[in-house]
Amino acid sequence: MTTTLTRAPEALPVPRDPRAPYRAGSWAVIVAVLVLLHLMAFSATEFSPGKLVTGAQGMTNFLAEAIPPDLSPDVVRAGIDGAMTTLWIGLLGTTISVPFALLLAVLGARTTSPNAVVYQVARGILSFFRAVPDIVFALIFVTAVGLGPFAGVLALIAHNTGVMGKLWSEAMEDVDPGPEQALRTAGASRWQVVANATIPTVLPQLTGLLLYRFDVNVRSSLVLGLVGAGGIGLLINKAIKTFQFDEMLTYLIIILVVIVAVDLASAWIRKRLQ
């Protein structure tokens, strides 16, 4: 019986990637540019960890004056009232912006916009509302309607319309085209397709984004209070200016509890929507 021996195939050399040197050079340039940008940023912002070390004594004195927090009934009651006002600002700033954001999202999504002109106009409006920070809107509305939470609500409505409209329009562009095509084939109009196919399909995603924006807006309403737009931020600003740091710490603890509660409630709702 004759046994035939087969030779193992010789390993072929792995061909060199001709683009490897180019890729290495590109990464080297990217790293060099990033390092240069960071050096420029450190210089422009006067970034100095040494200043933080030398200022440790000031921070220690600040904490010594803030701890323990002032838990007197008047301060706690004022903090709770301010925190609830902050919560209401975030709530109204989110919900009242829904119809405006939804309309601009429909007009600003490629799959639902009537034509290119309307699409570009809607995207431009969304970009403007999104580009202007809510605190700038607050300063504008404070000069228009005066100090108070109403200016904060208007500021959040304007800014949230831009942000939420952009997020919603992108969600509509990523929707499964099957139901939309079926309705178009059946002779449905553009708005019938949007109302009966597009929005119902992405409704859970839109709701999740809405809850996320509510979380963000409650935090933003705290900052808006620092410029006179009402809420607990106004109390924090007043406490800092009058060097009542123990009151400031009380207000921070109260708003922390509110924000944690909002986070937990939003997470619970999002979980039920999945």
Side-chain angles (χ1 to χ4, degrees), residues 236-249:
I236 294 175
N237 190 29
K238 180 182 176 182
I240 292 175
K241 288 182 176 179
T242 57
F243 302 101
Q244 303 296 324
F245 300 127
D246 52 348
E247 291 186 15
M248 178 208 68
L249 183 57

Side-chain angles (χ1 to χ4, degrees), residues 147-209:
L147 299 173
F150 183 44
V153 173
L154 294 176
L156 286 182
I157 290 173
H159 183 70
N160 195 64
T161 295
V163 176
M164 202 158 60
K166 173 71 161 46
L167 295 174
W168 282 0
S169 65
E170 292 177 349
M172 292 178 185
E173 289 178 348
D174 294 336
V175 71
D176 180 10
E180 296 179 347
Q181 293 175 355
L183 285 180
R184 290 194 188 97
T185 304
S189 66
R190 180 181 301 275
W191 297 110
Q192 287 175 328
V193 171
V194 171
N196 295 284
T198 306
I199 293 180
T201 302
V202 296
L203 187 59
Q205 189 174 356
L206 300 187
T207 305
L209 292 171

Side-chain angles (χ1 to χ4, degrees), residues 131-147:
V132 179
D134 46 18
I135 195 168
V136 175
F137 276 125
L139 291 171
I140 295 172
F141 286 120
V142 162
T143 61
V145 301
L147 299 173

Side-chain angles (χ1 to χ4, degrees), residues 13-143:
V14 178
R16 293 185 60 185
D17 186 357
R19 295 174 296 178
Y22 172 77
R23 290 175 178 171
S26 299
W27 277 109
V29 171
I30 292 173
V31 171
V33 170
L34 288 175
V35 171
L36 178 61
L37 290 176
H38 279 77
L39 291 175
M40 295 171 61
F42 286 144
S43 175
T45 58
E46 300 179 0
F47 186 87
S48 175
K51 291 183 178 180
L52 187 61
V53 174
T54 56
Q57 183 60 42
M59 296 177 61
T60 302
N61 295 336
F62 174 81
L63 293 175
E65 296 181 15
I67 300 174
D70 186 353
L71 299 179
S72 60
D74 292 340
V75 173
V76 173
R77 188 180 305 111
I80 294 175
D81 292 341
M84 295 307 297
T85 301
T86 296
L87 181 63
W88 304 144
I89 293 173
L91 177 65
L92 293 180
T94 304
T95 55
I96 297 179
S97 65
V98 167
F100 307 109
L102 183 59
L103 175 61
L104 289 171
V106 171
L107 298 178
R110 288 188 176 88
T111 54
T112 56
S113 184
N115 53 64
V117 175
V118 173
Y119 169 80
Q120 293 297 338
V121 171
R123 299 294 285 196
I125 295 173
L126 289 174
S127 297
F128 170 76
F129 284 139
R130 192 174 68 257
V132 179
D134 46 18
I135 195 168
V136 175
F137 276 125
L139 291 171
I140 295 172
F141 286 120
V142 162
T143 61

